[in-house]
């Protein structure tokens, strides 16, 4: 995940600003504009919020540079689906914290949580396979699992993700 060093944060207080807090990230520096009347604890709270939002945006951009998930999905499509799936996009997102992945069948888009950038590739491949299977079978019935189970490490990946979700160090 992209991190902004606290030394690279500049706080700009403005008497013209009454309520809004904004931030801009340029040349590796985060400039946060805050109302002049804020007390230090409020300022720290808002600066942390802006920093988090910018870090997530930068993380998403870095992870998706060069479309790595779409390329990997194309490889899995060729290997397990005979290239028959149509995938409009596959990308990491930073707003999925309780799901590992999601698929819009109508739009043919796949979204994976940015947290999956930290897991081994074979686990990420399983999640991609799971979401790609939804393009054929939207529900989680037997036909869906028959498709997902084409991936040889399905059970191992599911155990890994269950441990990961509990905050354990998966084996």
């Amino acid at each position: 995940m992209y991190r902004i060093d606290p030394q690279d944060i500049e706080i700009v207080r403005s008497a013209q600003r009454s309520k809004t807090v904004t931030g801009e990230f340029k040349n590796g520096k985060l400039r946060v504009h805050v109302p002049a009347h804020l007390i230090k604890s409020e300022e720290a709270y808002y600066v942390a919020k802006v920093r988090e939002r910018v870090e997530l945006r930068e993380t998403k951009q870095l992870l998706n540079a060069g479309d790595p998930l779409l390329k990997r999905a194309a490889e899995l499509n060729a290997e397990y689906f005979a290239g028959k799936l149509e995938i409009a996009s596959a990308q990491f997102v930073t707003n999925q914290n309780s799901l590992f992945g999601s698929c819009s069948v109508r739009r043919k888009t796949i979204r994976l949580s940015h947290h999956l950038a930290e897991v081994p590739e074979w686990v990420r491949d399983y999640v991609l396979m799971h979401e790609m299977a939804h393009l054929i079978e939207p529900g989680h019935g037997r036909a869906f699992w028959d498709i997902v189970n084409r991936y040889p490490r399905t059970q191992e990946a599911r155990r890994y993700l269950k441990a990961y979700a509990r905050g354990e160090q998966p084996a």
Side-chain angles (χ1 to χ4, degrees):
M1 192 155 131
Y2 185 84
R3 293 281 181 220
I4 298 171
D5 190 312
Q7 294 175 326
D8 292 329
I9 298 174
E10 178 185 345
I11 298 165
V12 179
R13 290 178 160 271
S14 172
Q16 278 80 29
R17 224 172 249 283
S18 61
K19 295 180 183 177
T20 60
V21 176
T22 62
E24 58 185 339
F25 188 65
K26 290 185 180 175
N27 303 322
K29 299 266 187 195
L30 176 62
R31 179 178 286 165
V32 182
H33 301 269
V34 300
H37 65 79
L38 286 185
I39 60 173
K40 286 291 182 187
S41 61
E42 291 174 322
E43 176 185 287
Y45 170 81
Y46 287 113
V47 168
K49 286 291 200 191
V50 169
R51 178 183 180 188
E52 178 183 20
R53 190 172 63 242
V54 170
E55 286 175 341
L56 286 173
R57 184 185 71 225
E58 293 296 314
T59 295
K60 181 180 170 185
Q61 288 178 347
L62 286 172
L63 290 175
N64 289 313
D67 283 329
L69 286 180
L70 187 58
K71 289 175 182 171
R72 186 61 184 145
E75 293 168 1
L76 293 171
N77 185 12
E79 185 173 352
Y80 296 102
F81 300 93
K84 294 180 180 174
L85 297 182
E86 182 184 333
I87 303 167
S89 72
Q91 52 184 219
F92 286 106
V93 295
T94 56
N95 63 349
Q96 277 186 182
N97 293 310
S98 59
L99 294 174
F100 290 118
S102 63
C103 175
S104 169
V105 175
R106 186 176 54 78
R107 290 185 305 227
K108 300 181 183 332
T109 59
I110 295 171
R111 300 161 31 107
L112 298 189
S113 170
H114 70 287
H115 298 293
L116 291 179
E118 304 169 353
V119 304
E121 184 178 30
W122 59 270
V123 176
R124 207 168 31 254
D125 283 353
Y126 159 73
V127 179
L128 269 173
M129 279 288 297
H130 180 109
E131 300 310 330
M132 291 165 68
H134 282 302
L135 295 172
I136 298 170
E137 195 62 43
H140 285 100
R142 179 142 180 100
F144 170 82
W145 288 109
D146 286 345
I147 296 166
V148 173
N149 286 325
R150 294 177 192 168
Y151 184 67
R153 297 184 82 176
T154 292
Q155 296 310 317
E156 186 181 1
R158 286 174 56 96
R159 283 191 299 275
Y160 184 103
L161 290 169
K162 284 179 183 175
Y164 184 83
R166 291 189 303 263
E168 298 172 8
Q169 185 62 32

